[in-house]
Amino acid sequence: MADLTRARAEAHDNADPLRALRGRFVLEGEGDNRIYLDGNSLGRLPREAASRLAERTAEWGERLVTGWPDWIELPTRVGDLLAEGVLGARPGEVLVCDSTTVNLYKLAHAALAARPDRRAVVADPDDFPTDRYVLEGVCAARGVELRWEAPGGPIASDVALVALSHVSYRSGALADMAAITEAAHRSGALALWDVSHSAGAVPVELEATGADLAVGCTYKYLNAGPGSPAFLYVRSPLLEELRSPIQGWFGRRDQFRMGPRYEPADGIERFHAGTPSILGLAAVEAGVALVAEAGIERLREKSVALTELIVDLHDARLAPLGFELGTPRDPTRRGSHVALRHADAWRITRALIERARVIPDFRGPDSVRLGVPPLYTRFVDVWDAVDRLARLLEAGEHLEFGAELSRVT
Amino acid sequence: MADLTRARAEAHDNADPLRALRGRFVLEGEGDNRIYLDGNSLGRLPREAASRLAERTAEWGERLVTGWPDWIELPTRVGDLLAEGVLGARPGEVLVCDSTTVNLYKLAHAALAARPDRRAVVADPDDFPTDRYVLEGVCAARGVELRWEAPGGPIASDVALVALSHVSYRSGALADMAAITEAAHRSGALALWDVSHSAGAVPVELEATGADLAVGCTYKYLNAGPGSPAFLYVRSPLLEELRSPIQGWFGRRDQFRMGPRYEPADGIERFHAGTPSILGLAAVEAGVALVAEAGIERLREKSVALTELIVDLHDARLAPLGFELGTPRDPTRRGSHVALRHADAWRITRALIERARVIPDFRGPDSVRLGVPPLYTRFVDVWDAVDRLARLLEAGEHLEFGAELSRVT
């Protein structure tokens, strides 16, 4: 059994090679002892993102339309940074644009159009809502069967596309990208990964695993702000074959010739739709650069140690209070958040926020999610949060809150 | 003939009731005599937009995920401001989200799905590229015929949708929204308007004209920055009938219940896809508020006077140099930019920018576009720009530039 004292957690922080990076984030609001464990939903504000946003805003004001020749390269330039520093992909394979939802829609349609003889999609019934809803709509529109199957099984020979998340938003389970992609390929299907809950915290080896397609958001572990532009990845050999269903002018070859009919651009730009958000890209660039600077292997190492501490503290202090671990115990099979299951999870989440100043989030039906983005989460944050959680349960404070769900996020 | 002296232009500026609003914009970069006449492509930076962006960025840093209960209302709240102050629509009919391209895609698909027995779309062969490309893709996907017809003719009885721009991006011609919508309705078709080139400069009477659907961008006359979020409009009685093809979680009823299958939200939110850009919305809010404060009727009045001055100066000074007016002479039939046609338009545009410090833009095959957003364009700006243009032509300076197109924007 590990040493579970607070002093030990402090010692971990003192030895943390990423320790200095916490100071690169805005930490206002922490003065009153708030502990933020929801960076897996919305990451913190990097100081560099705030300054890049202000600089780009000033650039808009000064350069006006003459800024475009530089700005227009940002979606692919920041995409290349993401490819190399975060996603294990090659230059020219990643584009920063639109939302995860719209990107998933584009790639799912493109994949099905490229495999017209196959009439089924396999998706995870526990996947993040927008993934499920988008696939449902795409399959209905194309008259393709949508099969809800837990990840990891064999793939039938009529399947065009296997689509799932790398890290489960609810349980925090980390899927075996290489094995599942290989199973898809064995049956001739394409594999599409949503890496929203892994990019920036877990190595995402798109090239090494053979992944065909991927989408993801930048406002979680990449810290680019609420509703920041998302990204998409298409493996180079597929680029020529795949076309976006949304034929926008930014995806057209020789866009500014404004020619008569649509022809897709040669590269990853063909998956552009409309005008990209230049201010949004400024924050993405800053957020991605910070993750790349830290190094994804070092981030992963710290993330595993942080989730391991939650698991150990759960066993010692929370299990006796009726909690059950909702996340795999094997650290190689989990991402950077941990789900603590409890019949009163909703009231406990509210009490944690309102009484204990710990900010986790709730995921139905019964999980309190603790996210520990390794760039800025300290071991003492984890220790203190679990300590406050245990004391709150022991005092029965959560019972003062209604059990009825009544919330926005 | 009007008095075309510079003194007269100055007198117009001195009497301009909107004069003080120019100071609400960042004017850096003007010290060296630059004249910006491309606000119809990318509007200037309102000082209020810069401060709102900085405030929202700080709010992200401080409130983190707890900001969402407030932020989540922005797309409809700013949509309502747009509806009332700019678009002549009703609360609950406008949503700020995604890009114009993606919004057009959503509404065109929704309209065709709602009129399955009609097998054609009518579109303008001179419409903005992204409109033409998107409609081409949507029609191909649905097996519907796309008919390229100049606006204004009768609509056949097999037409599901008439889609066109309110103001033509190239010629600046203003379409008769009421008459064309009525013609569409007479045949049982829906009318979808792209108001990107009119919103903020020309009254857009969506309710009064009976328009069914509309999309538009916010980075032109609404001054919300490069690639800022766009908007869409759906007439209330159609809301229940129309569904987005992109079934994202933000468009789902009871989004945060994260239920099993997709069900569209009741209101305009059903046309949401993914997570909206909260920083982008901050700038849209500021830009829209400024237009609403000025008042669309006053803006239109000044805009007409500014384009009228271009027409008069064209006749007096540019026609003798080989120019031809590419924009309707009837002020009730044009928007807030004027196209000056010339065989050497491309070289003239380059010379204007690089030698004369006048920033217009070029639109193929032969137009120099001068945009005069009434919020910040002065009558002397127009006078000086045409004066510099005439002198440049007289001196033959444009002949020093290559005729070969080689450009980004």
Side-chain angles (χ1 to χ4, degrees):
Chain A
M1 189 70 188
D3 172 0
L4 289 180
T5 61
R6 190 175 194 280
R8 178 73 185 146
E10 277 183 296
H12 265 304
D13 285 323
N14 290 334
D16 175 11
L18 299 177
R19 191 182 181 195
L21 291 174
R22 181 173 159 88
R24 304 277 286 280
F25 289 86
V26 169
L27 299 170
E28 276 86 334
E30 307 305 290
D32 54 357
N33 246 350
R34 182 176 68 182
I35 301 175
Y36 190 58
L37 297 181
D38 204 14
N40 51 318
S41 180
L42 178 64
R44 284 186 184 280
L45 168 60
R47 294 184 186 283
E48 181 75 13
S51 57
R52 291 297 295 141
L53 276 164
E55 282 164 26
R56 279 271 184 244
T57 302
E59 194 174 277
W60 155 28
E62 183 151 341
R63 297 189 60 187
L64 296 165
V65 78
T66 68
W68 268 116
D70 295 323
W71 299 335
I72 205 162
E73 293 171 7
L74 285 171
T76 47
R77 188 153 67 74
V78 180
D80 286 348
L81 290 177
L82 256 169
E84 188 180 17
V86 179
L87 300 176
R90 298 193 303 179
E93 294 187 327
V94 176
L95 185 71
V96 180
C97 61
D98 296 313
S99 64
T100 311
T101 295
V102 170
N103 289 336
L104 177 60
Y105 179 88
K106 290 186 285 193
L107 294 190
H109 259 297
L112 293 181
R115 298 289 180 273
D117 297 337
R118 292 170 167 252
R119 309 302 302 165
V121 168
V122 167
D124 178 357
D126 281 330
D127 209 345
F128 189 77
T130 215
D131 300 70
R132 293 187 276 109
Y133 304 153
V134 165
L135 293 170
E136 200 188 325
V138 170
C139 287
R142 305 194 75 94
V144 162
E145 183 193 350
L146 179 52
R147 290 187 198 140
W148 299 111
E149 297 176 7
I155 304 299
S157 62
D158 61 345
V159 173
L161 180 70
V162 176
L164 78 164
S165 286
H166 190 202
V167 168
S168 162
Y169 80 107
R170 193 148 48 182
S171 71
L174 173 64
D176 188 335
M177 188 181 278
I180 291 171
T181 299
E182 201 196 324
H185 289 175
R186 248 194 325 266
S187 88
L190 295 167
L192 190 169
W193 292 89
D194 183 339
V195 298
S196 292
H197 290 82
S198 57
V202 176
V204 179
E205 297 292 348
L206 292 174
E207 184 174 10
T209 59
D212 302 292
L213 306 164
V215 297
C217 88
T218 64
Y219 52 75
K220 299 178 184 293
Y221 298 102
L222 296 170
N223 306 301
S228 55
F231 59 85
L232 58 81
Y233 155 86
V234 178
R235 199 172 185 76
S236 313
L238 287 168
L239 264 177
E240 204 180 333
E241 188 185 355
L242 264 53
R243 288 179 62 139
S244 174
I246 307 175
Q247 298 186 169
W249 68 318
F250 267 74
R252 193 190 188 282
R253 176 201 309 272
D254 294 331
Q255 171 188 5
F256 287 101
R257 304 266 166 164
M258 300 188 166
R261 297 290 171 269
Y262 182 78
E263 299 166 32
D266 284 333
I268 191 77
E269 296 94 324
R270 63 171 52 192
F271 285 98
H272 256 318
T275 312
S277 165
I278 298 309
L279 300 183
L281 278 153
V284 178
E285 188 169 15
V288 169
L290 201 46
V291 166
E293 179 185 337
I296 202 75
E297 295 298 338
R298 290 202 302 176
L299 288 168
R300 174 62 174 163
E301 196 177 333
K302 180 175 172 190
S303 162
V304 165
L306 286 164
T307 56
E308 199 69 7
L309 180 58
I310 300 177
V311 171
D312 289 344
L313 288 168
H314 163 270
D315 293 346
R317 299 196 57 190
L318 300 177
L321 294 166
F323 278 98
E324 196 179 310
L325 199 64
T327 300
R329 285 184 174 273
D330 175 355
T332 68
R333 295 267 54 87
R334 66 173 180 254
S336 201
H337 69 268
V338 172
L340 303 172
R341 300 178 63 188
H342 192 289
D344 274 335
W346 166 238
R347 311 158 88 169
I348 293 170
T349 302
R350 286 191 61 197
L352 266 177
I353 295 170
E354 292 176 36
R355 296 288 168 80
R357 297 285 295 154
V358 174
I359 307 198
D361 65 17
F362 169 78
R363 284 297 175 257
D366 63 357
S367 291
V368 182
R369 266 195 332 184
L370 305 184
V372 288
L375 267 175
Y376 50 72
T377 307
R378 296 171 300 195
F379 290 89
V380 291
D381 292 333
V382 167
W383 199 95
D384 289 342
V386 175
D387 183 55
R388 292 187 203 175
L389 173 55
R391 287 168 193 268
L392 182 143
L393 263 280
E394 283 155 7
E397 280 189 82
H398 60 295
L399 301 175
E400 298 165 35
F401 291 82
E404 181 67 20
L405 282 176
S406 58
R407 49 195 289 289
V408 169
T409 170
Chain B
M1 190 70 189
D3 173 358
L4 290 179
T5 60
R6 190 176 194 281
R8 178 74 184 143
E10 277 182 297
H12 265 304
D13 285 323
N14 291 334
D16 175 10
L18 299 176
R19 188 180 184 198
L21 291 174
R22 180 173 159 88
R24 305 278 286 279
F25 289 86
V26 169
L27 299 170
E28 276 86 334
E30 307 306 290
D32 53 356
N33 247 351
R34 182 176 68 181
I35 300 175
Y36 190 58
L37 297 181
D38 204 13
N40 51 318
S41 179
L42 177 64
R44 284 186 183 279
L45 168 60
R47 293 183 186 283
E48 181 74 11
S51 57
R52 290 298 294 140
L53 276 164
E55 282 163 26
R56 280 271 185 244
T57 302
E59 194 174 276
W60 156 27
E62 182 150 341
R63 298 189 60 188
L64 296 165
V65 78
T66 68
W68 268 116
D70 294 324
W71 299 335
I72 205 162
E73 292 172 7
L74 285 171
T76 47
R77 189 153 66 74
V78 181
D80 286 348
L81 290 177
L82 255 170
E84 188 180 16
V86 179
L87 300 176
R90 297 193 305 177
E93 294 187 328
V94 176
L95 185 72
V96 181
C97 60
D98 296 313
S99 63
T100 310
T101 295
V102 169
N103 289 336
L104 177 61
Y105 178 88
K106 290 186 284 194
L107 294 190
H109 258 297
L112 293 181
R115 297 290 179 272
D117 298 336
R118 293 170 167 254
R119 308 304 301 164
V121 168
V122 168
D124 178 358
D126 282 329
D127 209 343
F128 189 77
T130 216
D131 300 69
R132 292 187 276 109
Y133 304 153
V134 165
L135 292 170
E136 200 188 326
V138 170
C139 287
R142 304 194 75 94
V144 162
E145 184 193 349
L146 179 51
R147 291 187 198 142
W148 299 112
E149 296 176 8
I155 304 299
S157 62
D158 62 343
V159 173
L161 180 70
V162 176
L164 78 162
S165 286
H166 191 201
V167 168
S168 162
Y169 81 105
R170 193 149 47 184
S171 71
L174 173 64
D176 187 335
M177 187 181 278
I180 291 171
T181 299
E182 202 197 325
H185 289 175
R186 248 193 325 266
S187 90
L190 295 168
L192 190 168
W193 291 90
D194 184 340
V195 299
S196 293
H197 290 83
S198 56
V202 176
V204 178
E205 297 292 346
L206 292 174
E207 185 176 8
T209 60
D212 301 292
L213 305 164
V215 297
C217 88
T218 64
Y219 52 75
K220 299 178 185 291
Y221 298 101
L222 296 170
N223 306 300
S228 55
F231 59 86
L232 58 81
Y233 156 86
V234 178
R235 198 172 186 76
S236 313
L238 288 168
L239 263 177
E240 205 180 333
E241 188 185 356
L242 265 52
R243 288 179 62 139
S244 174
I246 307 176
Q247 297 185 170
W249 68 319
F250 268 73
R252 193 188 188 283
R253 177 203 309 272
D254 293 331
Q255 172 189 4
F256 287 101
R257 304 267 167 165
M258 301 189 164
R261 297 291 171 268
Y262 182 78
E263 298 166 34
D266 284 332
I268 191 77
E269 296 94 325
R270 64 171 51 192
F271 285 98
H272 255 318
T275 311
S277 165
I278 298 310
L279 300 183
L281 278 153
V284 177
E285 188 169 13
V288 169
L290 201 45
V291 166
E293 179 184 336
I296 201 75
E297 295 299 337
R298 290 203 301 178
L299 288 168
R300 174 62 174 162
E301 195 179 331
K302 180 175 172 189
S303 162
V304 165
L306 286 163
T307 56
E308 198 69 7
L309 180 58
I310 299 177
V311 171
D312 290 344
L313 288 168
H314 164 271
D315 293 346
R317 298 196 57 189
L318 300 177
L321 294 166
F323 277 97
E324 196 178 311
L325 199 63
T327 299
R329 286 185 173 273
D330 176 355
T332 68
R333 297 268 52 88
R334 67 174 181 254
S336 201
H337 70 269
V338 172
L340 303 172
R341 300 178 63 189
H342 192 288
D344 274 336
W346 165 238
R347 310 159 87 169
I348 293 169
T349 302
R350 285 191 62 197
L352 266 177
I353 295 170
E354 292 176 35
R355 295 288 168 79
R357 297 286 295 155
V358 175
I359 307 197
D361 65 16
F362 169 78
R363 283 297 175 257
D366 62 358
S367 290
V368 182
R369 265 197 330 184
L370 305 184
V372 288
L375 267 174
Y376 51 72
T377 307
R378 296 171 301 196
F379 290 89
V380 291
D381 292 333
V382 167
W383 199 96
D384 289 342
V386 175
D387 183 56
R388 292 187 204 176
L389 172 55
R391 287 169 192 268
L392 183 145
L393 262 281
E394 283 155 8
E397 279 188 83
H398 60 295
L399 301 174
E400 297 164 36
F401 290 82
E404 181 69 18
L405 283 176
S406 59
R407 50 195 285 289
V408 169
T409 171

